[in-house]
Amino acid sequence: LKNKLATARRGHKLLKDKCDELMRRFLDIVREDKAMREKVEDELALVHRSFATASALTSPRAMREALILPTRSTELAVSTKNLMSVIVPTFALTEVGEGAHDMPYGVAFTSGELDAAVRELSAMADDLVKLAELEKSAQMLAQEIERTRRRVNALEYVMIPEMEKNIKYISMKLEENDRATKVRLMKVKDMVLKDAHEFEA
């Protein structure tokens, strides 16, 4: 039990250290995520304004025809990285195919505002993917922090006190048995001495 208690205390310390480091990394990611979210929201507001201006200057039919068939194709590469024993995803966008940098329409019947809106929307794709990566990482780290905290609490408030209580109980019982054995031995000694005196007499 004493060996188990020592192991539990070591495990508790390691888990507590892990929890602290996870929390530090989590807060770093949350700060980065907040900054990226604000940037993406500003970019989206700009894109929305550009599309609103473009749709005011271009007929709905021309807008629909211009945007109905994309000429650009993108692939999302997903890989993983180990962050404090938590496997978090990393995303990367790559454009594939011919005409990767062309507009998805002819420029004869569309406004310059639509060109600007499409360029702005295209430029923010990497930021959107980065935001998704940060949010997923934050979510996974939060789950790991919760799991680790539960383990720390189980050790701190249940297992370690239970072991300490059992060790104390066993120690008291052993001391009690030891005292009882000493008393018995002393009584036996007294009886032997008494018998010896009687025999001599």
Side-chain angles (χ1 to χ4, degrees):
L1 269 175
K2 282 178 177 175
N3 288 340
K4 279 185 180 178
L5 179 63
T7 306
R9 281 181 174 149
R10 275 200 306 275
H12 175 262
K13 187 184 181 309
L14 288 169
L15 281 171
K16 209 164 172 55
D17 291 346
K18 181 188 175 183
C19 198
D20 293 344
E21 183 59 22
L22 278 170
M23 200 68 200
R24 192 185 66 76
R25 297 275 182 98
F26 174 74
L27 290 173
D28 289 345
I29 287 173
V30 165
R31 276 191 284 274
E32 195 181 345
D33 179 56
K34 184 176 182 285
M36 184 57 75
R37 180 172 277 281
E38 286 169 358
K39 185 184 176 194
V40 164
E41 283 173 357
D42 291 344
E43 288 171 346
L44 276 173
L46 193 66
V47 167
H48 188 266
R49 277 199 299 275
S50 298
F51 268 110
T53 309
S55 59
L57 297 171
T58 313
S59 71
R61 183 170 175 229
M63 282 277 282
R64 200 165 39 253
E65 286 174 358
L67 300 173
I68 199 164
L69 187 65
T71 58
R72 303 172 71 166
S73 181
T74 24
E75 281 184 357
L76 181 68
V78 182
S79 57
T80 57
K81 65 178 179 181
N82 190 330
L83 195 66
M84 290 292 298
S85 76
V86 182
I87 306 299
V88 295
T90 55
F91 304 133
L93 272 183
T94 49
E95 291 181 1
V96 292
E98 295 291 322
H101 299 289
D102 298 335
M103 288 292 174
Y105 51 81
V107 290
F109 303 105
T110 55
S111 65
E113 282 76 10
L114 183 61
D115 297 350
V118 169
R119 278 196 201 96
E120 285 162 6
L121 189 60
S122 179
M124 69 175 292
D126 286 332
D127 287 345
L128 276 170
V129 168
K130 181 66 179 169
L131 180 64
E133 180 187 312
L134 287 168
E135 296 215 338
K136 187 63 182 171
S137 298
Q139 180 193 352
M140 292 175 83
L141 277 175
Q143 288 169 350
E144 184 62 24
I145 287 167
E146 193 179 332
R147 270 196 299 272
T148 308
R149 210 172 254 163
R150 273 203 301 268
R151 287 180 191 151
V152 168
N153 289 342
L155 281 167
E156 192 171 337
Y157 299 112
V158 180
M159 286 180 72
I160 290 174
E162 188 71 26
M163 284 181 193
E164 285 172 342
K165 191 177 88 176
N166 289 341
I167 288 167
K168 191 176 176 184
Y169 174 76
I170 291 166
S171 299
M172 281 169 62
K173 277 288 179 190
L174 288 172
E175 284 168 13
E176 196 178 301
N177 288 350
D178 194 38
R179 280 195 298 272
T181 305
K182 279 180 184 171
V183 168
R184 270 198 302 276
L185 285 172
M186 284 167 70
K187 279 185 180 175
V188 168
K189 187 180 174 185
D190 286 346
M191 284 167 67
V192 167
L193 286 171
K194 189 179 174 186
D195 287 349
H197 285 308
E198 284 175 1
F199 182 73
E200 283 173 10

